[in-house]
Every structure is written in C-alpha cells, then in structure tokens.
Amino acid sequence: MKKIMVVVMGGTGLVGQQFVRLLDGHPYFELAAITASGRSAGRSYGQAMPWAVGGDIPERAARLEVLDTSLETVMSRAPDIVFSALPAAAAEGIEPALRERGVRVFSNAGCRRQDADVPVLIPEINPGHLELARRQQARYGGFIVTNSNCSTSGLALVLKPLEKFGLREVTVTTFQSISGAGRRGLASFDIAGNVIPWIKNEEEKMERESRKILGELTADGIRPASFPVSATCCRVPVREGHLMSVSVRFANGAGAADVAEALAAFRGVPQGLGLPTAPEQPIIVRPEEDRPQPALDAWAGRPERARGMAVSVGRIREKDGVLSLILLVHNTVRGAAGACVLGAELAAAEKLAG
Ligand SMILES: NC(=O)c1ccc[n+]([C@@H]2O[C@H](COP(=O)([O-])OP(=O)(O)OC[C@H]3O[C@@H](n4cnc5c(N)ncnc54)[C@H](OP(=O)(O)O)[C@@H]3O)[C@@H](O)[C@H]2O)c1
C-alpha cells in the first residue's frame, strides 16, 4: 500500500507530540512535515521543545525543520491528510481553508465540533457519522472530522454499550490531569497539593458532545441523543489520565454484573477491521476495588501501537436504581491524537482518504 502523506499542525505541543509518536513507523501514514507557531518555526523538531510524552523522540521526526503554520507552508507539502493539534483560535481560519483545498483534516480543536456537517468521530461508537465527511467532500473537496473533548471520549465510549439498558440520565464528576492543559500547563499550573474545581468550557463540552456522538445521523446532520448529562470538572495534580466518577439511571434497569459484562464484551468497527491503532479490547473492566488509577492504568490497551487507547472501568456498583462506576481515559491519546489517527485509519479503510 502506498503511504498517505500527512502533516501535523501544532506538532510541538503535547497532543502534537503524541501524533508524532503514533505516526512513527505507521503502516498507512508518512509524516511529511510538522508545523507550530512562529516561536518554534525554523528550528529542528528535536530542538524546538522538550519531548514530554515518554520514550525517545522518533529520529526521523527529530531532524525535520518545524514549519510556520500557514496555508502556503502546509500546502507546499501536498498532504492528503492534516492532523491538527492547534489551539481553537489558531485552527479556526486554517482548517476550513485546507478543506477548501481538498485536504482531509482530522482535528482536536474544539471550534467546529458543533457544526451541523462536522462529525465528532469516535470510531468504535459512530463510524456511520463519517457520512457527514462524505457530504462535506462533495461540497468543499476536502473535509474536517473532529474528535471529542478528552473527557467526553472516555465517557461516550463507556455509555455506548449501555445504550441497550435505556440511558435516562448521566451525572459525571471528573478528576482531570494537568496534561489536559497543554505543554505550558504542565509547567505553570499552581496545582501541587491542590484541586481546582473548574475547567473553562469543559462541563459544557461534555454535556453537548456526548449527546452528539451518541446521536442519530439524519439528512440535516446529527439529532442529539435525548438523555441529559450533568458534568462537574476538576483539575487534579496528576500528570496524565482523566479519571471520572459516573452515575447512570437506566429506563430498563440493569445490575452491576449486566453492566460489567456489556462493557467487557464491547467491540466496534475498528476492532472488526483490525485497524492498526484500534485496541483489541476498547473497554477493560478492572475487578480490583482500588482500580483504575492514573499511575497504573492510563496506558491501557494492546497491541503496542494501541497503548493508551483502551478506557479502564472499575468500582461498578448499583444502589437504589443508580449505577455508579469509575472510568479512566488517557487524555492525550484516546482523548486526542490517538482518536484522530484511528479516525483517519477508518477513513482510509472506507476509501475516504488516501
Ligand atoms: N491536552 C489534552 O489533553 C487535549 C485533549 C483533547 C484535545 N486537546 C486540544 O488539542 C489542541 C492542542 O492541545 P495541546 O494540549 O497539545 O496544547 P499545547 O501543548 O499548548 O500545544 C499547542 C500547539 O499549537 C501551537 N500553537 C499555539 N499557538 C499557535 C498559533 N497562533 N499558530 C500556530 N501554532 C500555534 C504550539 O506551537 P509552539 O510550541 O510553537 O507554541 C503547539 O505546537 C487544543 O485545541 C486542545 O484544546 C487537548
């Protein structure tokens, strides 16, 4: 198979570094260029920032010169696919401009997630929403596919297998790691020995996006799922991995054992297709009383290429008609770069890219 040329925008940030790690030796994709802000442009990737995502910086990527992020520099590399790890303000202009030039954009930025023709793709949950990308392609030449906010990715993945019990109401409290605030967030947060009970726009994103992801595809876009979601989001002094306490009311009633079985048995289209970044088991149910923990479970998932792509769930309990559980998602892998790479693999398998 001829490799698909890709560019990573915002490649020096935490999500961008995860993209570069995941693209190293990827069987479908070839990294043609990395862009960042003017602060990093002109330097070699290896010199542009501290490598912060574990392991060694991939050798070939380390030698690439970081480019400025502009339509001209990106198009000069003639990419089929652009992976975007830009902040929303920087993504807003360039992503639609790339789409108009026929590029397939897979983005982490939050700015287009609520556009009627833009899917918020979680390949195991709503592969059919890629139909919206086809509709964009017919209109613009290219398309934008987004992934969800990082906490939503874990929550929605766990809600999908529970739909069959009739989701009536979902309440979630998050304990989110500092890497969710980006590379500079790691250094500057006044978080040691502290918990900050607010994260800008996070609760609204979780409430809106989960219902769009689990919504139904119609001729006009996505009709959101009808159950209400209430979120409370906190920043905690943890390096990576977002932990969540989730309570669900079901219309049909379901016990802890039914829920554990449904979660552990869940498989999606990426598993059926054997996509390279698909975890063999997307949801891992932990039987221990004190798991999952970010320090032990953030990198869950097999094979090696899918580490960090599985969501871990534990402490499944039912009391007075309320089902409670704890879940953990790797925010910069399943919640960001890994989700985009898996989405692009699905698009390639469905002949939408490449
Ligand atoms: N961190 C997470 O857990 C997470 C999860 C899901 C989604 N996201 C989203 O993913 C995106 C990236 O997040 P991150 O955590 O990786 O942020 P980050 O560590 O702050 O990295 C931001 C990247 O964007 C570049 N950049 C910043 N301003 C720019 C500008 N005006 N023009 C061009 N490039 C610019 C930076 O380049 P320099 O290094 O040169 O400044 C860097 O490469 C954001 O939209 C975020 O909301 C993050």
Side-chain angles (χ1 to χ4, degrees):
M1 176 181 177
K2 188 168 165 281
K3 287 211 177 173
I4 299 169
M5 298 308 277
V6 306
V7 167
V8 174
M9 299 195 300
T12 51
L14 285 187
V15 174
Q17 292 185 30
Q18 293 286 14
F19 273 124
V20 171
R21 185 184 67 77
L22 286 161
L23 291 169
D24 186 39
H26 195 284
Y28 299 3
F29 306 129
E30 176 91 30
L31 180 61
I34 300 170
T35 81
S37 77
R39 291 182 287 272
S40 311
R43 293 200 250 173
S44 72
Y45 185 61
Q47 301 291 318
M49 77 286 143
W51 182 249
V53 299
D56 292 328
I57 184 166
E59 270 178 40
R60 204 186 134 263
R63 290 195 298 272
L64 291 176
E65 181 186 328
V66 177
L67 306 177
D68 197 12
T69 305
S70 71
L71 186 60
E72 292 68 34
T73 52
V74 175
M75 289 311 296
S76 73
R77 305 300 153 124
D80 289 308
I81 287 178
V82 167
F83 292 113
S84 172
L86 293 173
E92 198 133 28
I94 192 166
E95 290 182 1
L98 287 166
R99 172 173 65 179
E100 298 267 3
R101 301 286 291 270
V103 175
R104 291 84 161 172
V105 180
F106 289 83
S107 176
N108 282 279
C111 46
R112 308 230 89 80
R113 289 183 193 142
Q114 291 306 318
D115 288 8
D117 59 357
V118 172
V120 180
L121 184 70
I122 299 186
E124 282 90 345
I125 301 183
N126 56 5
H129 290 195
L130 264 185
E131 169 59 22
L132 294 183
R134 276 183 221 284
R135 292 181 196 169
Q136 286 183 67
Q137 204 159 28
R139 184 161 175 204
Y140 303 108
F143 59 70
I144 298 172
V145 168
T146 64
N147 65 310
S148 69
N149 149 281
C150 40
S151 301
T152 310
S153 64
L155 178 66
L157 200 51
V158 163
L159 292 179
K160 178 67 184 171
L162 306 184
E163 269 181 330
K164 65 178 179 187
F165 303 122
L167 296 170
R168 261 187 36 200
E169 188 182 349
V170 177
T171 308
V172 56
T173 302
T174 69
F175 306 84
Q176 298 186 207
S177 63
I178 47 178
S179 56
R183 201 175 91 232
R184 287 174 183 81
L186 276 181
S188 62
F189 249 81
D190 186 13
I191 190 79
N194 200 7
V195 173
I196 298 170
W198 176 75
I199 303 173
K200 192 174 178 188
N201 298 334
E202 197 79 358
E203 292 163 1
E204 297 84 340
K205 285 185 196 169
M206 287 195 81
E207 291 169 5
R208 267 199 315 262
E209 292 173 21
S210 342
R211 295 175 57 229
K212 179 168 179 181
I213 292 163
L214 292 165
E216 189 190 337
L217 179 69
T218 71
D220 304 323
I222 306 296
R223 182 181 312 122
S226 58
F227 59 87
V229 178
S230 323
T232 303
C233 296
C234 305
R235 188 75 71 196
V236 297
V238 165
R239 189 177 168 85
E240 54 192 0
H242 291 354
L243 194 84
M244 285 165 241
S245 167
V246 183
S247 299
V248 187
R249 279 185 193 277
F250 295 118
N252 307 338
D258 304 317
V259 166
E261 196 185 320
L263 294 175
F266 176 67
R267 302 287 184 278
V269 169
Q271 283 69 37
L273 293 172
L275 298 178
T277 310
E280 288 162 8
Q281 194 174 338
I283 302 171
I284 294 173
V285 176
R286 305 288 329 186
E288 304 90 335
E289 285 172 337
D290 59 353
R291 301 280 284 274
Q293 297 179 21
L296 300 178
D297 301 307
W299 286 95
R302 275 193 310 221
E304 181 63 22
R305 188 163 279 291
R307 286 182 68 231
M309 287 297 283
V311 171
S312 300
V313 175
R315 305 221 46 227
I316 303 174
R317 296 146 282 153
E318 190 271 326
K319 193 172 175 217
D320 300 332
V322 179
L323 190 288
S324 302
L325 56 81
I326 299 285
L327 79 84
L328 175 71
V329 60
H330 195 303
N331 50 299
T332 56
V333 183
R334 170 55 85 168
C340 272
V341 172
L342 186 60
E345 290 169 3
L346 179 66
E350 297 207 348
K351 310 278 182 253
L352 258 169

